[in-house]
Amino acid sequence: MEQKNKIKSWPEAATRLIAVAAGREPADLVIRGGKWVNVHSREVLEGYDIAVAEGRFAAIAPDLSDSIGPETEVIEAEGRYMVPGLCDAHMHIESGMLTPAEFAAAVIPHGTTTMFTDPHEIANVLGLEGVRMMHDEALMQPVNIFTQMPSCAPSAPGLETTGFEITPDDVAAAMQWPGIIGLGEMMNFPGVIAGDRKMLAEIAATQNFNKTVGGHYASPDLGAPFRAYVAGGPADDHEGTCEADAIARVRQGMRSMMRLGSAWYDVETQITAVTEKGLDPRNFILCTDDCHSGTLVHDGHMNRVFRHAVECGADPLVALQMCTINTATHFGLERELGSITPGRRADLILTSDLATLPVEQVIARGKTVAKDGKLLAECPHYDWPESARNTVHLGKTLTAADFEIEAPEGANTVTARVIGVVENQAPTKALTEELDVTDGLAQPDTGKDIAQIALVERHQGTGGVTNGFVSGFGYKGRMAMGSTVAHDSHHMIVVGTDREMMAACANRLGEMGGGVSVWKDGAEIASVPLPIAGLMSDDPAETVAARAAKMVEAMAECGCTLNNAYMQHSLLALVVIPEIRISDLGLVDVTRFELTDLFE
């Protein structure tokens, strides 16, 4: 499809850029009298002008009045800092429950002008066709959204069933699309370590096009398995949670991507590698990974991550490099974006303070796209087909009987494996608890904070339900909470204390075509419709965030006080992150990458 908002390449624009820089021709835009924040030299230079032509920086100098003509737009910086637009190095748009257009609309006022996105959520539901839809809408936006071709659908072959499977041929085909920047996070790290041919073929297809291979090493073992994974080709990793993780990655030639998302707080524990150990910051990058719409609306995006890094002791200029030039360099785009220097895309922020970074004006490709928190640019929508809006297939109407967990014959109690949710962390704990048996059925125990969890198959309409137990949400009374956002295979996860409520919740999600539903005492008390792939809404972020806020209130009404509980709920089937998860095939021991029994 034709790319909207396309700008000329540097070679195509060079004649004009040279003429503007030499003062022979007027610029399209001149920003006067600001502090030039130079991320190449890590310095702030006062009293500079910036000239822009063809959507690119033409010149930066103390006086560019020669570049101002009668049609030139002039912006008075009034001594403010002129900062490169912020880059998010690793993220999943679907985590915001928004389409690429609405995600862009939400983050542009926060100063994000470049995103590197891995749409592996929609890949699990709609396969290569879904990736192409995300890619195409991304290219329509007024800011830079580069797409990483998802690598792992399923994320753990043999441990889950997805709606579609991504193959090496898919990866090779996608590498030729205009907006593909590399391979998405290689989550099947055991496969890479074992020399799995399919995983290595995907990596090779990416490297053969000189594109970047994204990493995902979710293990604390920094010995031989980690060395083997690095030798396989992944160039970065965002799964580190401590200083030793960050140091190990950069020592082995990877980029350490430190994330602050809605549920991930992994910057503070890793940035000490730079702030205290004094490691070269060039190979450290900031990212969000997963951001909920409420976080985007109320707290920010990469500006939030930047501020947090500064609060954790990072020099503001170093933190800025970590979300601009370091990111661009990593993806081979240092000559294209990430700094305010000649030839690069004219993406910048005007701000009055470098440490807190209030985003007062955002310019992307030489056009003002936001000012004082207000979006001023159009973010065009893709015409999503019916195939993308009809993805929840239950195969039957579910009943309470589908959520029964039969105990071994004659047992009065059972010792069950329980998924233990850890607040603000991706890993879970593998717990065991003794539970009562009534009428031959194992029972949840709200007194011990143990609810029931079910994974409902929704891609092939098999009617399959996998049942287990989960702890950490604090639910009480008769309730159920369900979501078709269920990383990474995105079936349906229902957590509840009452089997009838769980069935009603699941059936409601089927009627909605996907989303989130919360039930209490026999009635739905909150919902978030997500009609596109059961993952996204094409409503504005403010609308989705308001619905999500009501969902959070409903979860609290059911007894849940966990921070970002919904994000934790949606990750309970993520069978590549330890220690224990649930899939359509059963309970998964992720420390061993094998299925395990519910009862000991």
Side-chain angles (χ1 to χ4, degrees):
M1 66 176 294
E2 182 182 354
Q3 182 178 344
K4 303 293 193 297
N5 290 306
K6 187 177 181 180
I7 65 170
K8 291 181 179 178
S9 68
W10 189 341
E12 290 170 338
T15 300
R16 176 95 192 283
L17 295 175
I18 293 166
V20 171
R24 295 193 299 266
E25 290 187 18
D28 298 329
L29 167 69
V30 171
I31 306 169
R32 292 198 299 201
K35 298 184 181 76
W36 175 25
V37 179
N38 192 313
V39 291
H40 285 277
S41 58
R42 199 190 300 160
E43 59 184 340
V44 177
L45 302 162
E46 295 199 27
Y48 272 73
D49 296 352
I50 296 173
V52 175
E54 305 292 354
R56 295 179 178 274
F57 296 118
I60 305 92
D63 182 6
L64 291 174
S65 54
D66 287 348
S67 298
I68 299 175
E71 304 299 320
T72 302
E73 179 187 1
V74 177
I75 295 175
E76 302 294 347
E78 298 177 330
R80 288 176 292 177
Y81 295 93
M82 303 180 295
V83 175
L86 304 180
C87 305
D88 191 345
H90 174 75
M91 54 170 287
H92 307 283
I93 284 175
E94 305 99 314
S95 295
M97 298 180 175
L98 305 169
T99 57
E102 291 301 334
F103 199 102
V107 303
I108 287 170
H110 296 306
T112 300
T113 58
T114 300
M115 292 169 267
F116 296 89
T117 71
D118 178 355
H120 71 213
E121 323 305 349
I122 203 168
N124 280 273
V125 180
L126 292 171
L128 190 63
E129 180 187 4
V131 176
R132 185 78 205 212
M133 294 176 197
M134 295 288 283
H135 166 276
D136 288 355
E137 182 163 296
L139 290 182
M140 296 164 67
Q141 305 315 308
V143 292
N144 315 308
I145 305 181
F146 296 96
T147 302
Q148 294 175 289
M149 176 61 195
S151 62
C152 299
S155 60
L159 297 178
E160 63 178 351
T161 310
T162 57
F164 283 84
E165 182 177 339
I166 295 296
T167 68
D169 287 343
D170 291 335
V171 172
M175 288 301 141
Q176 301 176 68
W177 299 353
I180 294 289
I181 195 68
L183 189 67
E185 57 180 301
M186 178 50 71
M187 293 178 291
N188 187 4
F189 60 92
V192 175
I193 293 165
D196 180 271
R197 289 185 177 182
K198 178 185 175 185
M199 297 298 99
L200 296 188
E202 291 186 4
I203 292 172
T206 307
Q207 292 174 324
N208 288 340
F209 279 90
N210 292 316
K211 295 180 187 287
T212 305
V213 177
H216 169 117
Y217 182 76
S219 170
D221 189 340
L222 297 176
F226 175 64
R227 294 195 298 272
Y229 183 70
V230 177
D236 56 62
D237 187 55
H238 57 274
E239 291 294 335
T241 60
C242 63
E243 182 184 274
D245 288 341
I247 291 174
R249 283 152 176 78
V250 298
R251 282 179 177 169
Q252 295 292 327
M254 299 178 91
R255 258 75 175 206
S256 170
M257 290 187 175
M258 303 174 292
R259 62 185 173 184
L260 178 72
S262 291
W264 316 138
Y265 293 79
D266 297 322
V267 175
E268 185 173 8
T269 55
Q270 296 186 89
I271 203 165
T272 51
V274 173
T275 60
E276 295 179 11
K277 291 294 191 294
L279 269 64
D280 189 331
R282 285 181 301 170
N283 294 310
F284 292 83
I285 291 172
L286 295 171
C287 68
T288 63
D289 198 354
D290 299 290
C291 267
H292 195 274
S293 56
T295 302
L296 301 179
V297 171
H298 301 298
D299 301 323
H301 188 232
M302 283 307 297
N303 56 333
R304 170 178 174 256
V305 187
F306 167 85
R307 286 194 301 266
H308 177 67
V310 173
E311 290 165 359
C312 291
D315 180 302
L317 290 176
V318 172
L320 192 61
Q321 288 176 314
M322 291 178 177
C323 49
T324 57
I325 191 64
N326 292 7
T327 307
T329 300
H330 176 58
F331 287 102
L333 295 172
E334 182 184 341
R335 301 286 293 172
E336 184 66 18
L337 51 88
S339 66
I340 301 174
T341 45
R344 277 68 170 184
R345 299 186 187 191
D347 304 332
L348 67 87
I349 298 166
L350 289 177
T351 180
S352 54
D353 186 78
L354 200 55
T356 59
L357 206 71
V359 179
E360 292 151 5
Q361 188 162 347
V362 184
I363 294 166
R365 304 174 191 173
K367 305 288 186 183
T368 295
V369 290
K371 192 171 184 179
D372 298 327
K374 300 295 183 183
L375 179 71
L376 300 178
E378 180 189 1
C379 295
H381 282 240
Y382 181 80
D383 184 13
W384 294 87
E386 182 61 26
S387 62
R389 295 178 179 270
N390 181 24
T391 64
V392 182
H393 310 290
L394 300 183
K396 66 178 184 179
T397 300
L398 298 170
T399 68
D402 291 301
F403 298 89
E404 293 177 351
I405 301 176
E406 292 187 5
E409 189 173 349
N412 294 318
T413 62
V414 292
T415 300
R417 289 184 172 86
V418 178
I419 302 171
V421 174
V422 181
E423 189 168 33
N424 294 330
Q425 291 289 322
T428 62
K429 292 293 185 184
L431 309 175
T432 56
E433 288 286 352
E434 188 173 289
L435 300 175
D436 291 336
V437 174
T438 305
D439 297 328
L441 302 178
Q443 304 293 333
D445 188 338
T446 56
K448 293 181 178 179
D449 186 17
I450 296 174
Q452 196 168 318
I453 180 173
L455 187 137
V456 180
E457 199 282 331
R458 67 117 164 165
H459 297 313
Q460 308 301 330
T462 65
V465 179
T466 303
N467 289 296
F469 296 101
V470 65
S471 176
F473 288 107
Y475 290 129
K476 303 183 187 306
R478 295 177 62 239
M479 61 73 60
M481 152 85 181
S483 171
T484 53
V485 178
H487 302 272
D488 272 331
S489 56
H490 297 291
H491 288 288
M492 180 191 297
I493 294 176
V494 184
V495 172
T497 61
D498 180 275
R499 289 186 285 272
E500 289 186 1
M501 292 293 90
M502 294 176 75
C505 180
N507 291 327
R508 169 69 174 135
L509 287 172
E511 295 168 5
M512 284 169 51
V516 188
S517 179
V518 185
W519 287 64
K520 185 175 188 288
D521 296 331
E524 184 181 60
I525 59 173
S527 68
V528 184
L530 301 174
I532 298 176
L535 301 173
M536 298 176 290
S537 169
D538 47 4
D539 287 331
E542 291 81 3
T543 301
V544 177
R547 291 174 184 151
K550 290 182 179 178
M551 171 195 74
V552 172
E553 291 172 6
M555 293 172 74
E557 194 177 329
C558 294
C560 181
T561 58
L562 197 68
N563 183 47
N564 277 302
Y566 171 71
M567 191 69 83
Q568 297 289 5
H569 177 108
S570 70
L571 295 174
L572 291 169
L574 186 53
V575 294
V576 293
I577 296 185
E579 296 177 348
I580 188 168
R581 306 279 167 172
I582 194 169
S583 85
D584 62 305
L585 301 181
L587 208 59
V588 180
D589 180 342
V590 188
T591 63
R592 296 178 176 174
F593 271 83
E594 62 186 24
L595 296 170
T596 189
D597 294 328
L598 177 59
F599 300 128
E600 286 193 340

